[in-house]
Every structure is written in C-alpha cells, then in structure tokens.
C-alpha cells in the first residue's frame, strides 16, 4: 500500500490550510465563545467544493473519493472541530443519504444545491428518549392519501435550525420492526415543522445543534427516500460511512493538539531548558504521535474500503472508536503539557479537548462502536 497523499489530497490539504488561515482562525474564538454557527463561512466552504466532496460532478459535486474527504476533514479538525463537524454532517449524513438511497429525481433536485452550499443539510435519527437505541424511535408517520403526516421530535440534530433540507428517519410500522422505519426529505418552511437551537454545549460550539418538532407535518410521498420501511437499514449504512468522517475529524483534532504541544514544548523553558528536553514530555509527545498515526491508518483503511464499495461496518467502527478516543487523549495531554496556560482559553488545548469529547459520543458512542465491532467479530 502507498501511504503518500495523492495530488488531489495535497491540493485539498493546502486549500483547506489557506482557507483556515484567512476565514476560520481569525473568527473561531468568537464563534466558540458566543456559539455562533457561521452560515456564510459554511457556504464559502461549499464554493471550495467541500460540501459535495464525493458527490459525482453530474450532480454538482467535486467527484473525489473518501481519501480526499478524509484529508479535508483532518485539516479542518486541526483548526476547528465545530466547523469540521458541520462539514462532516452535511456531506456524510444528509447529502450522503440522498446520494446513496435517493431516486434519480431526488438526486437531480437536491444534490446540486447541497453540493454547492446553496442549501445546508441536516439529518435526524436521534430522539430525546432514543439515542443509542435508535430502533425504538417514537416519531411516527401515517399515510393520508398521497401524503404522509409526521408527528414527534428529534434531538441533537446538526443544522436543525439553519438546514434548508432535513432527511428524517420516522416510524411507519410497528415499534421494533427493523422494516418499519422510513426516511423522508423535509424542506425548511414545511407547515408544522419547527426547530429550537440547543445552547450551552461543551464543545463544537461553532456547529449548530437543534431539536426538531413535527406537528402534523404533511409530506408528499415523492419525498420518501427509497422504499417505505427501509429507513433503519439505510441509516445504519449511512452511519457506517459517517463514522469515517468522525474518525477523520478526530484525527485532525488529535493532530492539532499534538502539533500545538510540540510547539509549546520547544518554546516553554523550565529548569533552564525547553521542557521538550525532559523525557516526561518527550514520552507524552511520542505516545501522541504514535496514536495519531495509528488513528489515521485505521481511518484511511476504512476510507479505502468505502472507495472500493466494500463492507466497512467493522472497520468504520474501529476507526471511529480508536480515533475519537485518541483525540480525547491528545487534547488532555496537550493541556497537561501546557500546564496552567493550557487550562486557559488563550491556548488551544482546552478547545481541542472540548471538541474531542463530542467525537466519542456523536454518530454512535464508543460503547456502541464496541457493540458493532463485537457483533461483527462474533457473527
Ligand atoms: N448496515 C446495514 N444493515 C444493518 C446494519 C448496517 N451497518 N446494522 C444493522 N443492520 C440491520 C440488521 O441486519 C437488522 O436487519 P434484520 O432485522 O432484517 O435482521 C436491522 O438492521 C436491525 O439491526 P440490529 O438488530 O443490529 O438492531 P439493534 O436495535 O440491535 O441496533 C445498533 C443496532 C445498536 C448498532 C444501532 O441501533 C446503532 O447503531 N445505534 C447507534 C445509533 C447512532 O449511532 N446514533 C447516533 C446518531 S448521531 S448522527
């Protein structure tokens, strides 16, 4: 296997670094402090071609593969986990669900708008009382002529408020029937569909999170994605791919924390010399570097399977589990290396740590990844 970045990856990495210097770094403290979701910045990321990165050009996307996608998210994660999360959720969840499971008409109608950033996408699976146990969802849709009528709520939905379009998973059959959940496309402004922003998050504060409310929302049957009843299995496949994106983002956050630690350790002097000279610090840096490399290898392994259209349930979970835990460890060690300074917002460690904590929770907790992995091993 060749582990070198290909020419497209090199170009994308440089493009994201240039964009981050100009558009993200000068503003990210304000977004983080004030929990601002910078819609205009997200749209500019769309202009770079990063909101439909693996969507074919015929649907307005960039036509790249998952290596390029992973590279873009690693670079964003090194700077701001919140912006990275928004890009990951937009690409993998909403856009991905329409691309992989939608009809030709749905793809032609929605993908060009999503890929260009003209529209921002949201995806709703989780509910206030069903997170890990996604199958037990209570939001329902009942058929009424050629429409479906949706009632219920969804929670922790990225872009729930600003999203122009939401793909939502809803019960259309009996409780616990794995063929009783259906995916619908809901456009912003549909009567009865509303959202409330969730405030005071610990990390990824530049990424918008909301609760969705469905109060007799009428949706035409042409907005059903794929077959009625197949939504749960579609969602599981979407999460298999989505977990690559959270793994990639975690690698970026981990690498960002590691690189900031190296810089600090070379500059900070104690006992008459840079603290990097002390084995206690050197060993921490060695552990961080090794873990980041291993996390990236697992992530690119999962991306390679996705590029080759192979099953990646286990490998996606390996990558997501390991990379997200490494991101937390690296954020934590960065804070320890920076000591009192690391404990303040003047230094980057605390934001890396806060952003990293979401990675072990969103798109399936670490514990869910272990369920997925153990079931795959034992089946
Ligand atoms: N791809 C395709 N189909 C899948 C699948 C996958 N990766 N995983 C499960 N399925 C299918 C199963 O084959 C099963 O089909 P049958 O009923 O026809 O046999 C069906 O889906 C139900 O699967 P299972 O019995 O494993 O369902 P469980 O209720 O036990 O749930 C877990 C499985 C826990 C893995 C699932 O609920 C899950 O991923 N939970 C976490 C959800 C999550 O990540 N939420 C975060 C969202 S933030 S964006």
């Amino acid at each position: 296997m060749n582990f070198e970045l290909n020419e497209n990856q090199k170009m994308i990495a440089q493009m994201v670094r240039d964009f981050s210097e100009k558009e993200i770094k000068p503003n990210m403290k304000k977004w983080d402090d004030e929990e601002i979701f910078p819609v205009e910045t997200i749209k500019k990321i769309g202009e770079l071609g990063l909101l439909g990165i693996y969507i074919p050009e015929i649907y307005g996307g960039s036509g790249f593969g998952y290596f390029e996608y992973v590279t873009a998210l690693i670079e964003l994660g090194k700077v701001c986990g919140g912006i990275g999360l928004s890009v990951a959720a937009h690409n993998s969840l909403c856009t991905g669900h329409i691309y992989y499971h939608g009809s030709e008409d749905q793809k032609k109608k929605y993908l060009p708008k999503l890929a260009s950033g003209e529209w921002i996408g949201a995806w709703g699976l989780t509910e206030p009382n069903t997170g890990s146990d996604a199958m037990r969802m209570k939001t329902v849709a009942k058929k009424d002529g050629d429409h479906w009528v949706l009632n219920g709520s969804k929670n922790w939905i990225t872009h729930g408020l600003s999203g122009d379009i939401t793909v939502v998973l809803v019960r259309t059959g009996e409780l616990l029937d794995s063929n009783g959940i259906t995916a619908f496309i809901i456009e912003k402004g549909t009567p009865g569909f509303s959202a409330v922003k969730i405030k005071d998050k610990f990390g990824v504060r530049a990424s918008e999170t909301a609760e969705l409310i469905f109060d007799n929302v009428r949706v035409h049957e042409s907005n059903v994605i794929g077959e009625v009843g197949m939504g749960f299995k579609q969602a599981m496949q979407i999460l298999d791919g989505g977990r690559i994106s959270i793994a990639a983002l975690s690698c970026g956050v981990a690498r960002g924390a590691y690189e900031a630690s190296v810089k600090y350790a070379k500059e900070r002097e104690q006992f008459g010399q840079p603290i990097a000279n002390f084995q206690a610090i050197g060993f921490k840096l060695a552990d961080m570097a090794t873990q980041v490399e291993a996390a990236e290898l697992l992530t690119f392994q999962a991306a390679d399977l996705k590029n080759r259209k192979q099953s990646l349930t286990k490998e996606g979970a390996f990558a997501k589990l390991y990379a997200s835990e490494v991101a937390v460890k690296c954020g934590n060690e960065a804070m320890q290396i920076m000591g009192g300074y690391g404990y303040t917002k003047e230094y980057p460690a605390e934001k890396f740590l806060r952003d990293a904590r979401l990675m072990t929770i969103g798109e399936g907790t670490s514990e869910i990844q272990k369920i997925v992995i153990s079931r795959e091993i034992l089946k």
Side-chain angles (χ1 to χ4, degrees), residues 125-139 153-156:
L125 173 71
T126 299
E127 299 186 356
N129 294 314
T130 56
S132 295
D133 189 6
M135 174 88 85
R136 210 172 281 266
M137 66 174 65
K138 296 278 168 32
T139 299
S153 65
K154 294 282 168 184
N155 213 14
W156 314 119

Side-chain angles (χ1 to χ4, degrees), residues 93 123 125-126 131-135 156 176 178-179 232-234 236-237 239-240 243 313 361-365 368-369 371-372 375-376:
L93 302 180
W123 191 79
L125 173 71
T126 299
S132 295
D133 189 6
M135 174 88 85
W156 314 119
L176 298 183
S178 63
N179 295 319
F232 188 81
K233 287 168 187 169
Q234 293 170 3
M236 289 298 112
Q237 287 169 18
L239 285 174
D240 282 347
R243 286 168 186 158
T313 302
I361 298 170
E363 296 200 30
T365 59
I368 286 294
Q369 305 315 312
I371 287 178
V372 171
R375 282 184 182 179
E376 287 292 313

Side-chain angles (χ1 to χ4, degrees), residues 22-303:
K22 220 169 103 212
E23 304 279 349
I24 300 179
K25 283 187 183 170
N27 300 308
M28 62 187 217
K29 181 157 189 325
K30 183 177 169 67
W31 299 336
D32 184 55
D33 286 347
E34 299 174 27
E35 274 187 295
I36 295 169
F37 174 52
V39 174
E40 290 313 314
T41 306
I42 299 295
K43 288 185 183 287
K44 285 183 191 168
I45 292 175
E47 287 165 18
L48 298 180
L50 300 181
L51 293 185
I53 194 156
Y54 60 79
I55 300 298
E57 285 165 287
I58 47 160
Y59 301 120
S62 298
F64 291 123
Y66 269 69
F67 288 165
E68 289 81 4
Y69 183 29
V70 164
T71 299
L73 288 174
I74 289 176
E75 291 301 327
L76 285 171
K78 278 159 69 174
V79 180
C80 179
I83 298 299
L85 181 69
S86 278
V87 171
H90 174 97
N91 272 288
S92 286
L93 302 180
C94 178
T95 309
H97 203 135
I98 294 172
Y99 173 54
Y100 288 114
H101 300 287
S103 66
E104 197 52 35
D105 283 351
Q106 289 167 343
K107 290 185 204 184
K108 282 188 182 138
K109 183 172 176 189
Y110 294 112
L111 292 178
K113 288 191 168 76
L114 287 163
S116 65
E118 183 186 340
W119 280 15
I120 291 175
W123 191 79
L125 173 71
T126 299
E127 299 186 356
N129 294 314
T130 56
S132 295
D133 189 6
M135 174 88 85
R136 210 172 281 266
M137 66 174 65
K138 296 278 168 32
T139 299
V140 291
K142 300 271 180 235
K143 195 82 195 283
D144 180 18
D146 55 4
H147 281 70
W148 289 86
V149 183
L150 277 60
N151 279 289
S153 65
K154 294 282 168 184
N155 213 14
W156 314 119
I157 308 305
T158 303
H159 310 149
L161 201 62
S162 300
D164 299 280
I165 170 180
T166 303
V167 171
V168 66
L169 284 304
V170 177
R171 173 158 303 293
T172 49
E174 295 302 311
L175 187 71
L176 298 183
D177 178 0
S178 63
N179 295 319
I181 290 172
T182 301
F184 293 90
I185 298 171
I186 320 267
E187 291 186 24
K188 194 176 191 169
T190 304
F193 176 43
S194 60
V196 182
K197 180 166 173 162
I198 295 172
K199 293 189 185 144
D200 293 334
K201 284 185 308 191
F202 183 63
V204 291
R205 288 162 60 91
S207 182
E208 178 188 271
T209 312
E211 180 176 2
L212 310 180
I213 297 147
F214 302 89
D215 180 9
N216 287 314
V217 177
R218 290 182 70 80
V219 187
H220 192 263
E221 61 187 1
S222 60
N223 280 22
V224 168
I225 303 181
E227 279 179 49
V228 170
M230 293 310 292
F232 188 81
K233 287 168 187 169
Q234 293 170 3
M236 289 298 112
Q237 287 169 18
I238 290 302
L239 285 174
D240 282 347
R243 286 168 186 158
I244 301 175
S245 73
I246 301 301
L249 193 51
S250 301
C251 291
V253 173
R255 195 167 272 288
Y258 159 71
E259 287 176 358
S261 300
V262 170
K263 181 171 181 289
Y264 183 90
K266 285 180 173 172
E267 287 169 4
R268 170 74 169 169
E269 292 197 359
Q270 291 292 279
F271 305 100
Q273 54 186 308
I275 61 170
N277 289 354
F278 297 112
Q279 206 173 48
I281 302 298
F283 278 15
K284 282 187 194 300
L285 297 174
D287 281 342
M288 290 163 90
T290 309
Q291 288 164 357
V292 173
E293 293 279 326
E296 288 181 355
L297 289 175
L298 283 176
T299 304
F300 278 110
Q301 170 179 265

Side-chain angles (χ1 to χ4, degrees), residues 246-247 250-251 253-254 291-292 295 317-333 353 356-361 364-370:
I246 301 301
S250 301
C251 291
V253 173
Q291 288 164 357
V292 173
F318 280 159
K320 203 272 187 187
L321 170 64
Y322 186 74
S324 63
E325 295 291 341
V326 162
V328 172
K329 279 187 203 158
C330 288
N332 203 34
E333 287 294 51
L353 180 57
R357 279 309 274 111
L358 186 271
M359 309 302 156
T360 67
I361 298 170
T365 59
S366 290
E367 292 73 16
I368 286 294
Q369 305 315 312
K370 289 182 191 178

